[in-house]
Amino acid sequence: MATINSNYQKLPGSYLFSEVARRISVYAQAHPERKIIKLSIGDVTRPLVPAVTDALHAAVDEMGRAETFRGYGPEQGYAFLREAIVAYDFQRRGVNIQPDEVFISDGAKSDCGNIGDIFGADNKVAVCDPVYPVYVDTNAMAGRAGDYDAQAEKWTNLYYMPTVAENGFAPALPTEPVDLIYICSPNNPTGTVLTKDQLKVWVDYANANDAVILFDAAYEAFIEEDNVPHSIFEVEGAETCAIEFRSFSKTAGFTGTRCGYTVVPKALVRDGVSLNGMWNRRQSTKFNGTSYIIQRGAAAVYTEEGQRQIMENIAFYKQNAKVIYDGLQKAGLEVYGGKNSPYVWAKTPDGMPSWDFFDKLLEEANVATTPGAGFGPSGEGYIRFTAFGEAEATVEAVERIVALLNK
Ligand code: PLP
């Protein structure tokens, strides 16, 4: 008899975004005359830039001609993209990463989830709270999270690190041994970042304890402050204790196009085994490579034209983030993030529960947000706004919120 992976049975329903969508839909049906503005979704809205679409078109044409047609490519990605990544994302910042330490994929979500394949089931996993849910759920599926405690809204075997205003959104080092540590900077959902000195503390901890940091830099393109590393490998010693996930999704609008990459340094060894070799084995066994066409589109991001064009889109979103940040502050809220990130994270007024404030903004300002509590227990009392919308709609949404809260 076939048995199932019973860890899947332990997963609570994916509640957050379906519940957000349900509440918006119920309200919209009851009030069809109201225009709801969504500052809730973490998805881009600007189209792909011309440098990318030109490269995509050219690659499609190559695939349609016998002389330039390509079948299976290297599972790890084409050299042209791995080399462009190394030159632009790392060597330009003085970081010595080699092309064979870069693995191209269809996005950071898959890699964040699949990386667990190369680690033992007995690793103790530390996550920030609030957190991007993929880290939690994929470890739960692999049996590393224990059981779900619905009362506490926590998994019994995960180590949760509160990442809140009170600690400046810099989690404290664990008080019990942990083996795998997920760090996301710029952070989803808080929009806050860790400085080089703050990351150095984690790198030293991981090296001293033979732990591994799983560093998610999906939002690095939004960083504008000098002391905030774009890569964990800017921190001395990280090459012996960290793996980094990157994505073209928010950098270049690839959420629907799909491309990302993971860096596993050759110097990273645990149990006497190279994790670069293990990830290479995992990828070449279970993954047949990212489409050639898409990799050509991603490589165009690293041209002069591509860089100029994607940075225009990022500047557009960052302007929205500023509008949201300044407006919420004007409305008297305690506001975080937004500077090096497309996410603005605010405390709800007078400690109102997240879902109550979500309902208030939806019903009284007709603005949709995401309640902080949905990202983990320490997200209670916060609300997330995203800067990925249209400029005019963002301004209008913020005006409505300011008017409501100043009433
Ligand atoms: N990591 C974080 C922190 C994210 O917020 C997201 C998407 O929202 C991802 C990874 C997934 O990115 P991708 O589109 O490359 O799968």
Side-chain angles (χ1 to χ4, degrees):
M1 187 185 81
T3 59
I4 58 162
N5 177 348
S6 57
N7 294 312
Y8 280 60
Q9 303 299 96
K10 300 178 186 172
L11 293 165
S14 110
Y15 171 70
L16 177 60
F17 289 100
S18 51
E19 180 61 12
V20 165
R22 191 191 67 79
R23 292 191 191 204
I24 295 172
S25 148
V26 166
Y27 182 81
Q29 271 171 23
H31 304 276
E33 74 291 356
R34 304 270 171 84
K35 182 181 136 208
I36 297 170
I37 302 176
K38 289 187 187 167
L39 301 185
S40 46
I41 304 173
D43 194 0
V44 294
T45 54
R46 312 287 294 163
L48 293 174
V49 299
V52 168
T53 53
D54 287 350
L56 292 172
H57 284 298
V60 168
D61 289 343
E62 278 185 65
M63 293 297 263
R65 283 193 301 266
E67 318 83 79
T68 46
F69 169 77
R70 289 166 191 250
Y72 290 124
E75 292 95 347
Q76 303 80 359
Y78 282 99
F80 64 80
L81 181 55
R82 298 170 98 190
E83 283 164 10
I85 286 168
V86 161
Y88 192 87
D89 285 342
F90 297 102
Q91 290 177 352
R92 187 176 61 105
R93 296 188 187 282
V95 178
N96 181 25
I97 293 292
Q98 297 301 312
D100 59 358
E101 296 175 310
V102 173
F103 297 83
I104 311 299
S105 71
D106 63 352
K109 188 182 196 173
S110 330
D111 288 354
C112 287
N114 293 334
I115 199 73
D117 279 15
I118 67 168
F119 292 105
D122 51 351
N123 280 289
K124 182 82 180 180
V125 176
V127 293
C128 292
D129 172 23
V131 66
Y132 175 54
V134 173
Y135 316 147
V136 171
D137 288 3
T138 54
N139 278 292
M141 290 170 173
R144 283 187 207 99
D147 293 308
Y148 188 67
D149 176 345
Q151 193 81 36
E153 296 178 6
K154 286 182 176 180
W155 290 85
T156 52
N157 205 33
L158 291 184
Y159 185 86
Y160 289 83
M161 306 184 289
T163 309
V164 289
E166 288 68 24
N167 60 17
F169 297 96
L173 286 176
T175 53
E176 59 180 274
V178 299
D179 307 304
L180 300 177
I181 303 156
Y182 287 83
I183 298 178
C184 178
S185 175
N187 191 270
N188 179 14
T190 68
T192 56
V193 287
L194 294 174
T195 63
K196 198 168 192 172
D197 291 346
Q198 289 170 325
L199 284 173
K200 176 78 173 120
V201 171
W202 283 100
V203 166
D204 290 347
Y205 172 90
N207 276 323
N209 293 279
D210 281 339
V212 173
I213 296 172
L214 300 169
F215 188 75
D216 188 340
Y219 296 95
E220 68 73 35
F222 290 79
I223 293 172
E224 62 183 44
E225 288 177 317
D226 286 342
N227 61 345
V228 180
H230 290 245
S231 164
I232 185 92
F233 301 115
E234 290 175 50
V235 179
E236 199 195 329
E239 68 284 357
T240 51
C241 70
I243 289 173
E244 178 164 304
F245 306 104
R246 293 275 192 113
S247 171
F248 292 89
S249 284
K250 310 300 157 78
T251 307
F254 271 53
T255 53
T257 305
R258 311 303 307 143
C259 196
Y261 68 88
T262 288
V263 180
V264 189
K266 281 175 284 190
L268 177 56
V269 173
R270 290 292 179 270
D271 280 344
V273 178
S274 155
L275 299 197
N276 176 285
M278 282 187 78
W279 185 243
N280 190 31
R281 186 74 169 87
R282 190 267 169 214
Q283 287 299 82
S284 41
T285 302
K286 291 197 182 181
F287 183 60
N288 243 344
T290 304
S291 146
Y292 171 74
I293 297 166
I294 300 303
Q295 291 190 61
R296 277 291 177 202
V301 166
Y302 296 106
T303 60
E304 207 175 298
E305 203 58 2
Q307 276 299 305
R308 193 182 53 70
Q309 292 168 353
I310 64 154
M311 289 321 285
E312 274 172 23
N313 281 352
I314 289 181
F316 176 94
Y317 295 135
K318 282 173 74 84
Q319 174 58 26
N320 285 345
K322 184 170 164 38
V323 166
I324 297 169
Y325 187 101
D326 292 349
L328 296 179
Q329 217 169 33
K330 204 163 116 195
L333 296 183
E334 253 180 65
V335 197
Y336 304 96
K339 200 167 172 54
N340 300 290
S341 161
Y343 297 119
V344 179
W345 186 245
K347 271 202 170 159
T348 60
D350 307 318
M352 189 187 284
S354 292
W355 279 105
D356 291 0
F357 192 50
F358 169 89
D359 286 336
K360 184 177 172 67
L361 292 178
L362 178 62
E363 289 163 18
E364 297 176 40
N366 302 150
V367 176
T369 55
T370 311
F375 296 99
S378 296
E380 179 55 282
Y382 292 90
I383 195 113
R384 190 191 78 171
F385 297 81
T386 83
F388 287 123
E390 289 303 325
E392 267 178 39
T394 301
V395 169
E396 186 181 334
V398 170
E399 280 170 2
R400 290 187 200 169
I401 295 170
V402 173
L404 172 69
L405 297 182
N406 284 342
K407 240 193 224 167

